[in-house]
Amino acid sequence: MSEVVRREVPEVDRAAAARRAVERRRARASLKRDLAMRVVSPQDVVARAFEDPDSTAGTLRVPDFLTALPAIGAGKRDRVMTELQISPVKRLGGLGVRQRRALQDWLDARFPVPRPRANRSRLLVLAGPTAVGKGTVAAHIRDHHPEIHLSVSATTRAPRPGEQDGVHYYFVDDAEFDRMIAEGELLEHATVHNRFRYGTPRAPIERALAEGKTVLLEIDLQGARQVRAADPSATLVFLLPPSWDELVHRLIGRGTEDEAERTRRLRTAKVELAAQGEFDHRVVNEDVASAAREVVELTSDSAR
Ligand code: 5GP
């Protein structure tokens, strides 16, 4: 009987089913990387799973979900499963109402979701991991929103093809950078990717703020922290990639860095993603125009 059934299933259908199974496994592996790298929050993943049990999130087994979370090993996973009374064969989408509630409560306690703070100033800091597209989103805002002043940083790195001094950066040598620091001309400065120095000139920002403009800084995590320390009312926005795989793809696709530099930048990206909880807002850069719109909307009075 089983022989007959097998012969009746056309070869192409079986091949297509096998392909689909491989794709789903790949999608789940990719989602686990997103969780590990904090590109998505665990709460977002369970929300997706509960909404659609057939989705990638919904078909993820609970133990696999838990061990994908930062700093959760096999021992902790087993203790949590027992505590929440969830069987190891369960998938996220297959949890009952009480188990869903228990898992959500545990996640909220273990991975608290930061709340935006009130009374923000017009100083907006855009940070995020390398290659996420901060520069492109910032340039889009500069080109479409003349009312927003985009800060031009000083850097000791050499210009890339097409980059203009005074537009993309002020390209300076080490001596000039040292002088700017010594004279107090920089609001913040940092060595990025352990290589070149970058800093935000203070005077143009103070001028723009005095004119009532919103000022946008596109800087790295260390710079964002320094700005917050200097002006606690600054609004910090964290730009996220749609997925970790997409971030790696964008970094390789850009083709401007060699292998060693890419490895260094991915390491930095992982550390930067882990700091997103310090930020007031998170924006996913799925496409540049929508991400730019979301950032600009944060500068409107209602959002502050
Ligand atoms: P890139 O060399 O690719 O233009 O920029 C490398 C990194 O330096 C990016 O993450 C960018 O956000 C950061 N960066 C650019 N300007 C500044 C700055 O003025 N201060 C700080 N702290 N980081 C900056």
Side-chain angles (χ1 to χ4, degrees), residues 94-141:
L95 294 177
V97 178
R98 210 166 317 144
Q99 290 171 324
R100 290 180 177 200
R101 177 76 48 78
L103 181 59
Q104 281 168 323
D105 288 349
W106 180 80
L107 288 173
D108 286 344
R110 184 71 179 67
F111 302 94
V113 179
R115 307 238 167 277
R117 301 162 310 138
N119 301 321
R120 309 290 73 223
S121 76
R122 293 193 176 277
L123 186 55
L124 198 71
V125 176
L126 183 65
T130 177
V132 71
K134 283 172 297 192
T136 319
V137 170
H140 190 279
I141 294 173

Side-chain angles (χ1 to χ4, degrees), residues 134 153 157 160 169 188 192 198-200 218-220 223:
K134 283 172 297 192
S153 300
R157 84 150 162 78
R160 295 193 185 117
Y169 283 105
E188 60 74 38
V192 181
Y198 298 79
T200 304
E218 184 258 292
I219 58 178
D220 88 321

Side-chain angles (χ1 to χ4, degrees), residues 78-217:
D78 294 344
R79 280 197 298 280
V80 174
M81 303 276 301
T82 309
E83 181 192 321
L84 304 182
Q85 298 183 2
I86 297 175
S87 142
V89 297
K90 280 281 184 186
R91 295 178 188 269
L92 282 178
L95 294 177
V97 178
R98 210 166 317 144
Q99 290 171 324
R100 290 180 177 200
R101 177 76 48 78
L103 181 59
Q104 281 168 323
D105 288 349
W106 180 80
L107 288 173
D108 286 344
R110 184 71 179 67
F111 302 94
V113 179
R115 307 238 167 277
R117 301 162 310 138
N119 301 321
R120 309 290 73 223
S121 76
R122 293 193 176 277
L123 186 55
L124 198 71
V125 176
L126 183 65
T130 177
V132 71
K134 283 172 297 192
T136 319
V137 170
H140 190 279
I141 294 173
R142 179 191 59 211
D143 296 344
H144 294 83
H145 294 273
E147 77 282 9
I148 296 180
H149 173 88
L150 177 63
S151 162
V152 177
S153 300
T155 181
T156 58
R157 84 150 162 78
R160 295 193 185 117
E163 284 184 337
Q164 283 170 268
D165 188 45
V167 178
H168 300 95
Y169 283 105
Y170 294 105
F171 296 100
V172 300
D173 58 17
D174 271 309
E176 174 61 4
F177 203 92
D178 286 339
R179 189 200 61 76
M180 294 173 101
I181 296 172
E183 305 277 322
E185 289 180 14
L186 299 178
L187 174 66
E188 60 74 38
H189 61 91
T191 302
V192 181
H193 304 306
N194 295 324
R195 290 190 82 190
F196 302 109
R197 293 192 288 170
Y198 298 79
T200 304
R202 189 192 295 273
I205 290 176
E206 285 173 354
R207 247 190 332 267
L209 286 174
E211 285 167 13
K213 287 190 168 179
T214 291
V215 174
L216 182 65
L217 309 187

